[in-house]
Amino acid sequence: MNNEIRIKDLFVIGFALFAMFFGAGNLIFPPYLGLISGSQWWIGFLGFTIADAGLGLIAIIALSKYDGNLNVLASRVNKTFAIIISTAIILCIGPFLATPRTAATTYEIAIMPIFGESVNRYLFSVLFFIVSCLLSIRPSKVVDIVGKFLTPSLIICILALIIKGTFTPIGEIANTAMIDNVLERGITDGYQTMDAIAGCMFALVVINAVKTRKYSSQTLEIKATIYSGIIAALCLAFIYGGLVYLGAQTSNLGIYDINTDNTQLLVDITNRVLGGVGVYILAIITALACLTTAIGLISSAGNFFNELSKGKISYEIVVIICSVVSCAISMLGVSQIIKISAPILQILYPCAMTIVLIGLFNDKIKDDLVFKIPSIVSFVFGLLYVLQGKEFLGGFNETLNGLLLKFPLATFGLGWVVPTLIGLLIAIVISNFRKPKEA
């Protein structure tokens, strides 16, 4: 048993968590945010980082006391509800959405620019998920493989791009932004990455990795988990800052505008900073970012369903199934799956974040009603915002749009927050006037 937290453990686990969070979207969004922000790039960076790394860290902290299991915390709303929402989240960000995209993105950014279509898309997808499966199959080794080997390689390649771009700037940064509210856009982009909800799933992988370190108490395990999360968040913040700054350097070139494609901008920046070798560096960065994210998502699903079934479904079987399903979906066309899965995530996201944020004070809350009312309100408003603009609502659509846009923070994609806070206050008032039910 270890009576002290080892710094080496924190960095290995923290680096692994950083890499699990840092997927293709986290690589592509910041440079574009810098482009449209101009001299206000640092404001956009702050908004993006708080809504992305900040919320992800909160999820890790909140779930660290519950073995990283959202299902345990959500059971205070309702046990059946907890299973449904946790399962829906893991399926959406796992084999039905995010995991298939990792292979597709790697092919489009890392393979095609170098090899063209000479490498078969379907064959590549099969090979990608074979590698992902093999690196995920042993749960005790997942974090070590990612944290000790893959993440350092990823960070070195990104740092090469950022450092070179800092000392040999692409161009002068424009004095004005292309958009009116840079902070709003940064928060919206960071929120839309949904890394906070990914944090709910990655927490299970992290806490299991911490347990393998054989610390002598749960208190040490919780501290190690939180410290690892802080390291991951700081790494994300540093990388985001560098990428947003590089994007800002293109804001005054006169060849990019608000309609510039995110991916193409990233490719152009890499080529301008690193020259001919840039396409290969970008390929390595993308491949490592997508591979580490795929490993994290597949491993999270394996841990989740193994614990949900109380060991009846083995971790290894889930990993294999998730790899096969993700591979099949990536071949069928991920864009079609996104149309189905993304709205489901947008419905679940407010509810999951509400449970996580209230969960920070779980020990002080004796009445389950304080969990139930705000969670239901956030779920309903998440559903309403997804229904907003849908043709099948007919004449009611205009009324709904007008109502939802009146809520504070609606332009940030956070219109559900104020109604949820009102629901929380109502729950607290009701709870104070009745005998609390022990948690």
mmCIF file of all heavy atoms in Angstrom, residues 11-57:
data_model
loop_
_atom_site.group_PDB
_atom_site.id
_atom_site.type_symbol
_atom_site.label_atom_id
_atom_site.label_comp_id
_atom_site.label_asym_id
_atom_site.label_seq_id
_atom_site.Cartn_x
_atom_site.Cartn_y
_atom_site.Cartn_z
ATOM 1 N N PHE A 11 1.189 12.519 -13.216
ATOM 2 C CA PHE A 11 1.473 12.964 -14.580
ATOM 3 C C PHE A 11 1.104 11.907 -15.619
ATOM 4 O O PHE A 11 0.596 12.245 -16.694
ATOM 5 C CB PHE A 11 2.947 13.381 -14.714
ATOM 6 C CG PHE A 11 3.202 14.784 -14.267
ATOM 7 C CD1 PHE A 11 3.645 15.056 -12.975
ATOM 8 C CD2 PHE A 11 2.973 15.852 -15.119
ATOM 9 C CE1 PHE A 11 3.850 16.358 -12.550
ATOM 10 C CE2 PHE A 11 3.188 17.158 -14.709
ATOM 11 C CZ PHE A 11 3.626 17.417 -13.430
ATOM 12 N N VAL A 12 1.338 10.645 -15.299
ATOM 13 C CA VAL A 12 0.951 9.577 -16.239
ATOM 14 C C VAL A 12 -0.560 9.586 -16.438
ATOM 15 O O VAL A 12 -1.063 9.559 -17.572
ATOM 16 C CB VAL A 12 1.427 8.194 -15.740
ATOM 17 C CG1 VAL A 12 0.792 7.084 -16.581
ATOM 18 C CG2 VAL A 12 2.944 8.098 -15.815
ATOM 19 N N ILE A 13 -1.314 9.630 -15.328
ATOM 20 C CA ILE A 13 -2.777 9.618 -15.410
ATOM 21 C C ILE A 13 -3.296 10.933 -15.987
ATOM 22 O O ILE A 13 -4.213 10.941 -16.819
ATOM 23 C CB ILE A 13 -3.395 9.358 -14.018
ATOM 24 C CG1 ILE A 13 -2.978 7.977 -13.508
ATOM 25 C CG2 ILE A 13 -4.918 9.447 -14.074
ATOM 26 C CD1 ILE A 13 -3.352 7.697 -12.063
ATOM 27 N N GLY A 14 -2.703 12.049 -15.559
ATOM 28 C CA GLY A 14 -3.119 13.356 -16.070
ATOM 29 C C GLY A 14 -2.885 13.487 -17.564
ATOM 30 O O GLY A 14 -3.745 13.994 -18.305
ATOM 31 N N PHE A 15 -1.737 13.032 -18.043
ATOM 32 C CA PHE A 15 -1.444 13.062 -19.475
ATOM 33 C C PHE A 15 -2.414 12.172 -20.256
ATOM 34 O O PHE A 15 -2.857 12.521 -21.354
ATOM 35 C CB PHE A 15 -0.006 12.607 -19.731
ATOM 36 C CG PHE A 15 1.033 13.669 -19.507
ATOM 37 C CD1 PHE A 15 2.380 13.396 -19.669
ATOM 38 C CD2 PHE A 15 0.663 14.954 -19.128
ATOM 39 C CE1 PHE A 15 3.343 14.373 -19.464
ATOM 40 C CE2 PHE A 15 1.616 15.939 -18.916
ATOM 41 C CZ PHE A 15 2.952 15.644 -19.087
ATOM 42 N N ALA A 16 -2.721 11.023 -19.686
ATOM 43 C CA ALA A 16 -3.658 10.108 -20.355
ATOM 44 C C ALA A 16 -5.036 10.751 -20.466
ATOM 45 O O ALA A 16 -5.688 10.683 -21.522
ATOM 46 C CB ALA A 16 -3.747 8.792 -19.588
ATOM 47 N N LEU A 17 -5.481 11.392 -19.390
ATOM 48 C CA LEU A 17 -6.787 12.052 -19.402
ATOM 49 C C LEU A 17 -6.807 13.195 -20.405
ATOM 50 O O LEU A 17 -7.788 13.375 -21.141
ATOM 51 C CB LEU A 17 -7.116 12.560 -17.996
ATOM 52 C CG LEU A 17 -8.479 13.241 -17.809
ATOM 53 C CD1 LEU A 17 -9.602 12.300 -18.193
ATOM 54 C CD2 LEU A 17 -8.643 13.702 -16.358
ATOM 55 N N PHE A 18 -5.728 13.969 -20.453
ATOM 56 C CA PHE A 18 -5.610 15.045 -21.442
ATOM 57 C C PHE A 18 -5.800 14.504 -22.852
ATOM 58 O O PHE A 18 -6.558 15.055 -23.658
ATOM 59 C CB PHE A 18 -4.242 15.718 -21.322
ATOM 60 C CG PHE A 18 -3.781 16.389 -22.588
ATOM 61 C CD1 PHE A 18 -4.283 17.624 -22.962
ATOM 62 C CD2 PHE A 18 -2.841 15.771 -23.412
ATOM 63 C CE1 PHE A 18 -3.868 18.233 -24.138
ATOM 64 C CE2 PHE A 18 -2.415 16.369 -24.583
ATOM 65 C CZ PHE A 18 -2.932 17.618 -24.947
ATOM 66 N N ALA A 19 -5.124 13.412 -23.165
ATOM 67 C CA ALA A 19 -5.180 12.846 -24.507
ATOM 68 C C ALA A 19 -6.557 12.280 -24.829
ATOM 69 O O ALA A 19 -7.000 12.328 -25.982
ATOM 70 C CB ALA A 19 -4.119 11.754 -24.661
ATOM 71 N N MET A 20 -7.238 11.738 -23.816
ATOM 72 C CA MET A 20 -8.591 11.226 -24.045
ATOM 73 C C MET A 20 -9.541 12.366 -24.399
ATOM 74 O O MET A 20 -10.400 12.235 -25.264
ATOM 75 C CB MET A 20 -9.094 10.498 -22.798
ATOM 76 C CG MET A 20 -8.376 9.184 -22.523
ATOM 77 S SD MET A 20 -8.954 8.453 -20.968
ATOM 78 C CE MET A 20 -7.695 7.181 -20.707
ATOM 79 N N PHE A 21 -9.390 13.499 -23.716
ATOM 80 C CA PHE A 21 -10.203 14.678 -24.017
ATOM 81 C C PHE A 21 -9.850 15.267 -25.374
ATOM 82 O O PHE A 21 -10.713 15.703 -26.118
ATOM 83 C CB PHE A 21 -9.994 15.754 -22.949
ATOM 84 C CG PHE A 21 -10.847 15.601 -21.723
ATOM 85 C CD1 PHE A 21 -10.264 15.493 -20.475
ATOM 86 C CD2 PHE A 21 -12.228 15.591 -21.811
ATOM 87 C CE1 PHE A 21 -11.045 15.370 -19.332
ATOM 88 C CE2 PHE A 21 -13.021 15.463 -20.676
ATOM 89 C CZ PHE A 21 -12.428 15.351 -19.433
ATOM 90 N N PHE A 22 -8.558 15.278 -25.692
ATOM 91 C CA PHE A 22 -8.072 16.017 -26.849
ATOM 92 C C PHE A 22 -8.255 15.209 -28.129
ATOM 93 O O PHE A 22 -7.377 14.466 -28.559
ATOM 94 C CB PHE A 22 -6.598 16.391 -26.666
ATOM 95 C CG PHE A 22 -6.119 17.420 -27.650
ATOM 96 C CD1 PHE A 22 -6.375 18.762 -27.434
ATOM 97 C CD2 PHE A 22 -5.428 17.054 -28.788
ATOM 98 C CE1 PHE A 22 -5.949 19.723 -28.331
ATOM 99 C CE2 PHE A 22 -4.986 17.994 -29.694
ATOM 100 C CZ PHE A 22 -5.249 19.337 -29.470
ATOM 101 N N GLY A 23 -9.413 15.375 -28.737
ATOM 102 C CA GLY A 23 -9.694 14.713 -30.009
ATOM 103 C C GLY A 23 -9.563 15.677 -31.163
ATOM 104 O O GLY A 23 -9.053 16.796 -31.022
ATOM 105 N N ALA A 24 -10.067 15.279 -32.312
ATOM 106 C CA ALA A 24 -9.926 16.091 -33.520
ATOM 107 C C ALA A 24 -10.640 17.433 -33.391
ATOM 108 O O ALA A 24 -10.140 18.465 -33.839
ATOM 109 C CB ALA A 24 -10.472 15.322 -34.723
ATOM 110 N N GLY A 25 -11.830 17.440 -32.766
ATOM 111 C CA GLY A 25 -12.564 18.686 -32.603
ATOM 112 C C GLY A 25 -11.792 19.696 -31.777
ATOM 113 O O GLY A 25 -11.792 20.896 -32.073
ATOM 114 N N ASN A 26 -11.104 19.219 -30.741
ATOM 115 C CA ASN A 26 -10.311 20.099 -29.881
ATOM 116 C C ASN A 26 -9.106 20.663 -30.628
ATOM 117 O O ASN A 26 -8.560 21.695 -30.254
ATOM 118 C CB ASN A 26 -9.815 19.335 -28.650
ATOM 119 C CG ASN A 26 -10.936 18.634 -27.921
ATOM 120 O OD1 ASN A 26 -11.461 17.643 -28.412
ATOM 121 N ND2 ASN A 26 -11.312 19.127 -26.764
ATOM 122 N N LEU A 27 -8.706 19.999 -31.678
ATOM 123 C CA LEU A 27 -7.581 20.438 -32.503
ATOM 124 C C LEU A 27 -8.033 21.441 -33.561
ATOM 125 O O LEU A 27 -7.326 22.399 -33.875
ATOM 126 C CB LEU A 27 -6.942 19.218 -33.178
ATOM 127 C CG LEU A 27 -5.729 19.416 -34.078
ATOM 128 C CD1 LEU A 27 -4.561 19.967 -33.283
ATOM 129 C CD2 LEU A 27 -5.345 18.092 -34.737
ATOM 130 N N ILE A 28 -9.243 21.239 -34.085
ATOM 131 C CA ILE A 28 -9.727 22.042 -35.207
ATOM 132 C C ILE A 28 -10.395 23.342 -34.772
ATOM 133 O O ILE A 28 -10.225 24.383 -35.412
ATOM 134 C CB ILE A 28 -10.710 21.205 -36.066
ATOM 135 C CG1 ILE A 28 -9.964 20.049 -36.736
ATOM 136 C CG2 ILE A 28 -11.388 22.066 -37.121
ATOM 137 C CD1 ILE A 28 -10.881 19.044 -37.391
ATOM 138 N N PHE A 29 -11.153 23.325 -33.675
ATOM 139 C CA PHE A 29 -11.919 24.501 -33.266
ATOM 140 C C PHE A 29 -11.062 25.710 -32.857
ATOM 141 O O PHE A 29 -11.352 26.841 -33.272
ATOM 142 C CB PHE A 29 -12.864 24.156 -32.117
ATOM 143 C CG PHE A 29 -14.039 23.308 -32.539
ATOM 144 C CD1 PHE A 29 -14.640 22.441 -31.633
ATOM 145 C CD2 PHE A 29 -14.539 23.371 -33.821
ATOM 146 C CE1 PHE A 29 -15.710 21.652 -32.008
ATOM 147 C CE2 PHE A 29 -15.615 22.583 -34.220
ATOM 148 C CZ PHE A 29 -16.208 21.727 -33.301
ATOM 149 N N PRO A 30 -10.025 25.553 -32.020
ATOM 150 C CA PRO A 30 -9.285 26.725 -31.519
ATOM 151 C C PRO A 30 -8.668 27.621 -32.595
ATOM 152 O O PRO A 30 -8.761 28.852 -32.482
ATOM 153 C CB PRO A 30 -8.226 26.098 -30.603
ATOM 154 C CG PRO A 30 -8.855 24.837 -30.120
ATOM 155 C CD PRO A 30 -9.609 24.323 -31.309
ATOM 156 N N PRO A 31 -7.990 27.067 -33.638
ATOM 157 C CA PRO A 31 -7.417 27.975 -34.639
ATOM 158 C C PRO A 31 -8.466 28.843 -35.324
ATOM 159 O O PRO A 31 -8.235 30.041 -35.550
ATOM 160 C CB PRO A 31 -6.755 27.016 -35.641
ATOM 161 C CG PRO A 31 -6.462 25.787 -34.842
ATOM 162 C CD PRO A 31 -7.602 25.660 -33.896
ATOM 163 N N TYR A 32 -9.619 28.266 -35.622
ATOM 164 C CA TYR A 32 -10.689 29.049 -36.255
ATOM 165 C C TYR A 32 -11.202 30.125 -35.306
ATOM 166 O O TYR A 32 -11.488 31.256 -35.726
ATOM 167 C CB TYR A 32 -11.832 28.127 -36.675
ATOM 168 C CG TYR A 32 -12.991 28.861 -37.309
ATOM 169 C CD1 TYR A 32 -12.926 29.303 -38.628
ATOM 170 C CD2 TYR A 32 -14.135 29.139 -36.579
ATOM 171 C CE1 TYR A 32 -13.983 29.999 -39.208
ATOM 172 C CE2 TYR A 32 -15.200 29.827 -37.141
ATOM 173 C CZ TYR A 32 -15.120 30.259 -38.458
ATOM 174 O OH TYR A 32 -16.168 30.951 -39.019
ATOM 175 N N LEU A 33 -11.302 29.787 -34.023
ATOM 176 C CA LEU A 33 -11.719 30.768 -33.020
ATOM 177 C C LEU A 33 -10.736 31.933 -32.986
ATOM 178 O O LEU A 33 -11.137 33.094 -32.877
ATOM 179 C CB LEU A 33 -11.815 30.100 -31.645
ATOM 180 C CG LEU A 33 -12.233 30.985 -30.466
ATOM 181 C CD1 LEU A 33 -13.629 31.571 -30.702
ATOM 182 C CD2 LEU A 33 -12.207 30.182 -29.162
ATOM 183 N N GLY A 34 -9.444 31.637 -33.096
ATOM 184 C CA GLY A 34 -8.424 32.683 -33.141
ATOM 185 C C GLY A 34 -8.562 33.555 -34.380
ATOM 186 O O GLY A 34 -8.426 34.782 -34.306
ATOM 187 N N LEU A 35 -8.850 32.919 -35.521
ATOM 188 C CA LEU A 35 -9.016 33.658 -36.780
ATOM 189 C C LEU A 35 -10.119 34.701 -36.663
ATOM 190 O O LEU A 35 -9.915 35.868 -37.018
ATOM 191 C CB LEU A 35 -9.353 32.678 -37.907
ATOM 192 C CG LEU A 35 -9.907 33.287 -39.205
ATOM 193 C CD1 LEU A 35 -8.841 34.123 -39.899
ATOM 194 C CD2 LEU A 35 -10.442 32.197 -40.132
ATOM 195 N N ILE A 36 -11.282 34.314 -36.165
ATOM 196 C CA ILE A 36 -12.422 35.226 -36.125
ATOM 197 C C ILE A 36 -12.381 36.185 -34.925
ATOM 198 O O ILE A 36 -13.146 37.133 -34.872
ATOM 199 C CB ILE A 36 -13.759 34.454 -36.111
ATOM 200 C CG1 ILE A 36 -13.866 33.550 -34.874
ATOM 201 C CG2 ILE A 36 -13.901 33.633 -37.392
ATOM 202 C CD1 ILE A 36 -15.193 32.806 -34.770
ATOM 203 N N SER A 37 -11.450 35.920 -33.983
ATOM 204 C CA SER A 37 -11.348 36.764 -32.791
ATOM 205 C C SER A 37 -10.338 37.892 -32.950
ATOM 206 O O SER A 37 -10.424 38.912 -32.250
ATOM 207 C CB SER A 37 -10.966 35.919 -31.566
ATOM 208 O OG SER A 37 -11.927 34.931 -31.311
ATOM 209 N N GLY A 38 -9.337 37.723 -33.815
ATOM 210 C CA GLY A 38 -8.333 38.753 -34.015
ATOM 211 C C GLY A 38 -7.596 39.089 -32.729
ATOM 212 O O GLY A 38 -7.175 38.192 -31.984
ATOM 213 N N SER A 39 -7.471 40.380 -32.423
ATOM 214 C CA SER A 39 -6.727 40.808 -31.234
ATOM 215 C C SER A 39 -7.410 40.399 -29.930
ATOM 216 O O SER A 39 -6.794 40.442 -28.868
ATOM 217 C CB SER A 39 -6.557 42.340 -31.247
ATOM 218 O OG SER A 39 -7.825 42.984 -31.264
ATOM 219 N N GLN A 40 -8.664 39.989 -30.014
ATOM 220 C CA GLN A 40 -9.381 39.516 -28.825
ATOM 221 C C GLN A 40 -9.250 38.001 -28.653
ATOM 222 O O GLN A 40 -10.053 37.381 -27.962
ATOM 223 C CB GLN A 40 -10.858 39.903 -28.914
ATOM 224 C CG GLN A 40 -11.116 41.396 -28.987
ATOM 225 C CD GLN A 40 -12.602 41.711 -29.076
ATOM 226 O OE1 GLN A 40 -13.407 41.208 -28.305
ATOM 227 N NE2 GLN A 40 -12.968 42.535 -30.054
ATOM 228 N N TRP A 41 -8.239 37.410 -29.274
ATOM 229 C CA TRP A 41 -8.092 35.957 -29.270
ATOM 230 C C TRP A 41 -8.026 35.383 -27.857
ATOM 231 O O TRP A 41 -8.537 34.299 -27.592
ATOM 232 C CB TRP A 41 -6.828 35.554 -30.046
ATOM 233 C CG TRP A 41 -5.536 35.985 -29.422
ATOM 234 C CD1 TRP A 41 -4.868 37.142 -29.658
ATOM 235 C CD2 TRP A 41 -4.773 35.280 -28.446
ATOM 236 N NE1 TRP A 41 -3.720 37.211 -28.907
ATOM 237 C CE2 TRP A 41 -3.625 36.074 -28.156
ATOM 238 C CE3 TRP A 41 -4.902 34.052 -27.797
ATOM 239 C CZ2 TRP A 41 -2.649 35.673 -27.238
ATOM 240 C CZ3 TRP A 41 -3.943 33.655 -26.878
ATOM 241 C CH2 TRP A 41 -2.836 34.460 -26.608
ATOM 242 N N TRP A 42 -7.418 36.136 -26.942
ATOM 243 C CA TRP A 42 -7.264 35.635 -25.569
ATOM 244 C C TRP A 42 -8.617 35.575 -24.842
ATOM 245 O O TRP A 42 -8.817 34.718 -23.963
ATOM 246 C CB TRP A 42 -6.284 36.513 -24.800
ATOM 247 C CG TRP A 42 -6.697 37.948 -24.670
ATOM 248 C CD1 TRP A 42 -6.484 38.961 -25.558
ATOM 249 C CD2 TRP A 42 -7.418 38.518 -23.574
ATOM 250 N NE1 TRP A 42 -7.025 40.132 -25.097
ATOM 251 C CE2 TRP A 42 -7.599 39.895 -23.873
ATOM 252 C CE3 TRP A 42 -7.910 38.021 -22.368
ATOM 253 C CZ2 TRP A 42 -8.270 40.758 -23.021
ATOM 254 C CZ3 TRP A 42 -8.570 38.888 -21.509
ATOM 255 C CH2 TRP A 42 -8.748 40.231 -21.843
ATOM 256 N N ILE A 43 -9.555 36.453 -25.231
ATOM 257 C CA ILE A 43 -10.898 36.400 -24.638
ATOM 258 C C ILE A 43 -11.631 35.158 -25.127
ATOM 259 O O ILE A 43 -12.274 34.441 -24.356
ATOM 260 C CB ILE A 43 -11.699 37.669 -24.997
ATOM 261 C CG1 ILE A 43 -11.000 38.906 -24.420
ATOM 262 C CG2 ILE A 43 -13.131 37.561 -24.478
ATOM 263 C CD1 ILE A 43 -11.680 40.220 -24.794
ATOM 264 N N GLY A 44 -11.517 34.886 -26.432
ATOM 265 C CA GLY A 44 -12.118 33.675 -26.981
ATOM 266 C C GLY A 44 -11.514 32.423 -26.371
ATOM 267 O O GLY A 44 -12.227 31.450 -26.062
ATOM 268 N N PHE A 45 -10.202 32.461 -26.166
ATOM 269 C CA PHE A 45 -9.502 31.330 -25.547
ATOM 270 C C PHE A 45 -10.017 31.066 -24.139
ATOM 271 O O PHE A 45 -10.268 29.920 -23.754
ATOM 272 C CB PHE A 45 -7.994 31.625 -25.533
ATOM 273 C CG PHE A 45 -7.245 30.970 -24.410
ATOM 274 C CD1 PHE A 45 -7.045 29.601 -24.398
ATOM 275 C CD2 PHE A 45 -6.748 31.728 -23.351
ATOM 276 C CE1 PHE A 45 -6.359 28.996 -23.350
ATOM 277 C CE2 PHE A 45 -6.063 31.135 -22.304
ATOM 278 C CZ PHE A 45 -5.878 29.758 -22.304
ATOM 279 N N LEU A 46 -10.199 32.134 -23.344
ATOM 280 C CA LEU A 46 -10.686 31.976 -21.975
ATOM 281 C C LEU A 46 -12.081 31.350 -21.968
ATOM 282 O O LEU A 46 -12.353 30.423 -21.191
ATOM 283 C CB LEU A 46 -10.719 33.331 -21.261
ATOM 284 C CG LEU A 46 -9.383 33.899 -20.802
ATOM 285 C CD1 LEU A 46 -9.572 35.283 -20.200
ATOM 286 C CD2 LEU A 46 -8.714 32.969 -19.786
ATOM 287 N N GLY A 47 -12.962 31.857 -22.817
ATOM 288 C CA GLY A 47 -14.317 31.315 -22.886
ATOM 289 C C GLY A 47 -14.322 29.852 -23.281
ATOM 290 O O GLY A 47 -15.012 29.024 -22.671
ATOM 291 N N PHE A 48 -13.525 29.515 -24.298
ATOM 292 C CA PHE A 48 -13.456 28.143 -24.787
ATOM 293 C C PHE A 48 -12.916 27.204 -23.711
ATOM 294 O O PHE A 48 -13.460 26.122 -23.471
ATOM 295 C CB PHE A 48 -12.554 28.085 -26.026
ATOM 296 C CG PHE A 48 -12.497 26.729 -26.682
ATOM 297 C CD1 PHE A 48 -13.409 26.385 -27.673
ATOM 298 C CD2 PHE A 48 -11.532 25.794 -26.318
ATOM 299 C CE1 PHE A 48 -13.362 25.147 -28.284
ATOM 300 C CE2 PHE A 48 -11.484 24.556 -26.919
ATOM 301 C CZ PHE A 48 -12.398 24.224 -27.904
ATOM 302 N N THR A 49 -11.854 27.620 -23.050
ATOM 303 C CA THR A 49 -11.198 26.771 -22.054
ATOM 304 C C THR A 49 -12.080 26.538 -20.834
ATOM 305 O O THR A 49 -12.156 25.418 -20.315
ATOM 306 C CB THR A 49 -9.863 27.398 -21.612
ATOM 307 O OG1 THR A 49 -9.032 27.595 -22.765
ATOM 308 C CG2 THR A 49 -9.134 26.497 -20.634
ATOM 309 N N ILE A 50 -12.760 27.588 -20.383
ATOM 310 C CA ILE A 50 -13.645 27.439 -19.219
ATOM 311 C C ILE A 50 -14.785 26.477 -19.531
ATOM 312 O O ILE A 50 -15.118 25.598 -18.724
ATOM 313 C CB ILE A 50 -14.207 28.813 -18.794
ATOM 314 C CG1 ILE A 50 -13.084 29.670 -18.190
ATOM 315 C CG2 ILE A 50 -15.340 28.650 -17.779
ATOM 316 C CD1 ILE A 50 -13.471 31.123 -17.974
ATOM 317 N N ALA A 51 -15.394 26.636 -20.714
ATOM 318 C CA ALA A 51 -16.546 25.799 -21.073
ATOM 319 C C ALA A 51 -16.138 24.386 -21.456
ATOM 320 O O ALA A 51 -16.969 23.468 -21.404
ATOM 321 C CB ALA A 51 -17.309 26.445 -22.229
ATOM 322 N N ASP A 52 -14.882 24.178 -21.823
ATOM 323 C CA ASP A 52 -14.414 22.854 -22.244
ATOM 324 C C ASP A 52 -13.645 22.170 -21.116
ATOM 325 O O ASP A 52 -14.169 21.296 -20.427
ATOM 326 C CB ASP A 52 -13.529 22.999 -23.488
ATOM 327 C CG ASP A 52 -12.959 21.669 -23.956
ATOM 328 O OD1 ASP A 52 -11.877 21.282 -23.474
ATOM 329 O OD2 ASP A 52 -13.593 21.027 -24.791
ATOM 330 N N ALA A 53 -12.420 22.598 -20.891
ATOM 331 C CA ALA A 53 -11.580 21.984 -19.853
ATOM 332 C C ALA A 53 -12.147 22.218 -18.463
ATOM 333 O O ALA A 53 -12.081 21.336 -17.593
ATOM 334 C CB ALA A 53 -10.160 22.529 -19.948
ATOM 335 N N GLY A 54 -12.727 23.413 -18.225
ATOM 336 C CA GLY A 54 -13.268 23.734 -16.915
ATOM 337 C C GLY A 54 -14.410 22.813 -16.520
ATOM 338 O O GLY A 54 -14.413 22.231 -15.422
ATOM 339 N N LEU A 55 -15.385 22.645 -17.419
ATOM 340 C CA LEU A 55 -16.524 21.771 -17.125
ATOM 341 C C LEU A 55 -16.095 20.309 -17.060
ATOM 342 O O LEU A 55 -16.617 19.529 -16.253
ATOM 343 C CB LEU A 55 -17.622 21.954 -18.182
ATOM 344 C CG LEU A 55 -18.383 23.283 -18.136
ATOM 345 C CD1 LEU A 55 -19.403 23.354 -19.257
ATOM 346 C CD2 LEU A 55 -19.072 23.473 -16.789
ATOM 347 N N GLY A 56 -15.138 19.931 -17.902
ATOM 348 C CA GLY A 56 -14.624 18.557 -17.860
ATOM 349 C C GLY A 56 -13.974 18.249 -16.522
ATOM 350 O O GLY A 56 -14.165 17.168 -15.946
ATOM 351 N N LEU A 57 -13.216 19.232 -15.995
ATOM 352 C CA LEU A 57 -12.562 19.063 -14.692
ATOM 353 C C LEU A 57 -13.596 18.959 -13.574
ATOM 354 O O LEU A 57 -13.457 18.130 -12.661
ATOM 355 C CB LEU A 57 -11.626 20.244 -14.423
ATOM 356 C CG LEU A 57 -10.928 20.263 -13.055
ATOM 357 C CD1 LEU A 57 -10.073 19.011 -12.867
ATOM 358 C CD2 LEU A 57 -10.072 21.522 -12.915
#
